[in-house]
């Protein structure tokens, strides 16, 4: 919680000497608009950017191997995010309530999509789940009201309870 609730913080520069962003590092920094995580960072802790309601863009290098639970939860204005191609899990609640998120590229390295990972992402219109994903956990895409198209990869062995519940616009689901 190094900078938790620093509501006047509008920008940050993370030097290349930093390898870890601990949990709640910038949680609640409501005026922070974009994040560019340097190549040196490999670990992003739980709720690192949770409730950064002004956050619009977030980019991280492919050196990031772990992104914790609820990292971007409550970032209601987040529109564009690049996820490292070296993470293995879209953690629980990672993008919960990111109501402005219109698209997401789930990397081929991901093997699981956690509980409520995209819960209430009301602007998502389509999702392509890569063949590497083995499990889609409970409520992963619940209340994604604009979701029209879902393509599920060949690796999926389990889809949790309510994974796509209340997706009122869902028209097409492709299951191999």
């Amino acid at each position: 919680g190094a900078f938790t609730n620093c509501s006047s913080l509008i920008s940050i520069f993370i030097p290349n000497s930093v390898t870890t962003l601990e949990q709640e590092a910038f949680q609640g920094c409501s005026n922070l608009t974009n994040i560019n995580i340097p190549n040196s960072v490999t670990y992003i802790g739980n709720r690192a950017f949770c409730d950064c309601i002004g956050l619009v863009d977030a980019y991280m290098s492919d050196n990031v191997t772990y992104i914790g639970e609820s990292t971007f939860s409550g970032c209601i204005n987040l529109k564009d995010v690049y996820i490292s191609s070296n993470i293995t899990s879209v953690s629980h609640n990672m993008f919960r309530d990111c109501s402005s998120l219109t698209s997401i590229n789930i990397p081929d390295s991901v093997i699981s999509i956690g509980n409520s990972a995209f819960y209430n992402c009301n602007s998502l219109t389509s999702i392509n789940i890569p063949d590497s994903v083995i499990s889609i956990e409970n409520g992963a895409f619940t209340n994604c009201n604009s979701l029209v198209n879902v393509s599920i990869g060949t690796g999926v062995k389990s889809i949790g309870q309510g994974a796509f519940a209340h997706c009122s616009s869902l028209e097409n689901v492709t299951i191999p």
Side-chain angles (χ1 to χ4, degrees), residues 11-153:
S11 69
I12 57 171
F13 171 76
I14 302 169
N16 285 329
S17 57
V18 174
T19 60
T20 300
L21 296 178
E22 292 292 344
Q23 72 179 28
E24 301 170 2
F26 297 97
Q27 181 176 350
C29 294
S30 55
N31 283 309
L32 192 60
T33 57
N34 54 43
I35 295 291
N36 192 356
I37 299 167
N39 292 340
S40 58
V41 174
T42 59
Y43 179 96
I44 301 173
N46 296 343
R47 298 175 303 284
F49 300 101
C50 181
D51 296 325
C52 290
I53 60 173
L55 191 62
V56 175
D57 302 307
Y59 300 98
M60 64 193 74
S61 81
D62 285 333
N63 292 338
V64 175
T65 57
Y66 178 82
I67 304 171
E69 295 179 12
S70 303
T71 301
F72 296 102
S73 180
C75 295
I76 59 173
N77 288 303
L78 185 65
K79 292 179 182 169
D80 193 19
V81 62
Y82 174 79
I83 302 175
S84 167
S85 64
N86 286 311
I87 64 164
T88 58
S89 175
V90 176
S91 301
H92 302 313
N93 299 310
M94 186 183 287
F95 295 102
R96 183 183 182 117
D97 298 321
C98 291
S99 55
S100 296
L101 191 64
T102 56
S103 65
I104 192 81
N105 182 31
I106 299 173
D108 290 334
S109 57
V110 171
I111 60 172
S112 69
I113 299 173
N115 292 334
S116 303
F118 295 95
Y119 186 95
N120 273 342
C121 289
N122 294 321
S123 295
L124 274 180
T125 57
S126 66
I127 194 78
N128 183 27
I129 299 168
D131 294 341
S132 59
V133 173
I134 296 169
S135 67
I136 303 169
E137 297 182 18
N138 298 341
F141 295 93
T142 296
N143 289 338
C144 292
N145 297 327
S146 297
L147 193 60
V148 175
N149 300 303
V150 174
S151 177
I152 297 175

